[in-house]
Amino acid sequence: MANIYTAALMEHNAHPDYKYDLEGATDEHEGVNPSCGDELVLKLRVENGVIEEAAFTGHGCAVSQASADMMADLVTGEKVEEARRLCGLFMKMVKGEQLTEDEKEDLDEAAQLESISHMPARVKCAELGWRTLTEMIGEE
């Protein structure tokens, strides 16, 4: 069994760059994982179809917090359509679907969470931030 606690996950959990209350957000959505109690509030500042800034607040396990931080990092500066595509890729990956090398590259550090697909109890943790973003901006 692969270790899900990669250096990237531990770093994003210990020192999240995007865990703060975003002032002047244009969009806000709450995400909850009822199976374990993880919760977060995701805020975006979207201008002209581009996510200028993404941030979250909340609490939960290392997987949910680090994954949300990776997601916020990945989508900041991206068009909303690209953020939708990236969310779709991540959700497919953690549910065990194979991604191409290019798709994994598009996910950047978040691709390191691929092994979570082998731990069904942790998938909901990993997808919390991504699912919250998808609920906010709609699916592809």
Side-chain angles (χ1 to χ4, degrees):
M1 175 87 43
N3 182 8
I4 63 170
Y5 295 99
T6 64
L9 184 139
M10 298 309 288
E11 180 62 25
H12 278 275
N13 182 56
H15 306 287
D17 291 324
Y18 296 89
K19 189 173 184 177
Y20 57 89
D21 190 21
L22 174 60
E23 297 292 324
T26 58
D27 299 274
E28 178 178 328
H29 195 71
E30 183 178 3
V32 177
N33 180 357
S35 62
C36 68
D38 292 358
E39 55 185 51
L40 58 79
V41 175
L42 178 63
K43 293 184 179 184
L44 303 178
R45 187 168 45 80
V46 179
E47 294 176 14
N48 301 317
V50 174
I51 299 171
E52 296 290 341
E53 192 171 2
F56 70 99
T57 56
H59 59 85
C61 68
V63 172
S64 73
Q65 300 299 287
S67 183
D69 196 57
M70 290 177 187
M71 181 269 307
D73 184 30
L74 191 62
V75 302
T76 296
E78 295 291 348
K79 290 184 176 186
V80 171
E81 296 79 26
E82 176 63 1
R84 278 189 197 106
R85 186 183 76 82
L86 293 168
C87 283
L89 289 178
F90 184 83
M91 299 297 253
K92 284 174 30 177
M93 179 187 75
V94 295
K95 289 179 176 159
E97 293 183 40
Q98 288 296 314
L99 299 183
T100 68
E101 287 306 312
D102 286 344
E103 289 172 330
K104 287 180 189 176
E105 197 171 295
D106 289 348
L107 287 176
D108 198 32
E109 283 182 312
Q112 293 181 31
L113 300 180
E114 183 177 20
S115 62
I116 286 174
S117 67
H118 304 294
M119 304 179 78
R122 302 314 302 267
V123 169
K124 284 188 185 330
C125 303
E127 41 175 52
L128 178 60
W130 302 81
R131 191 176 65 246
T132 303
L133 178 59
T134 299
E135 289 170 2
M136 250 170 121
I137 63 175
E139 293 186 45
E140 231 181 341

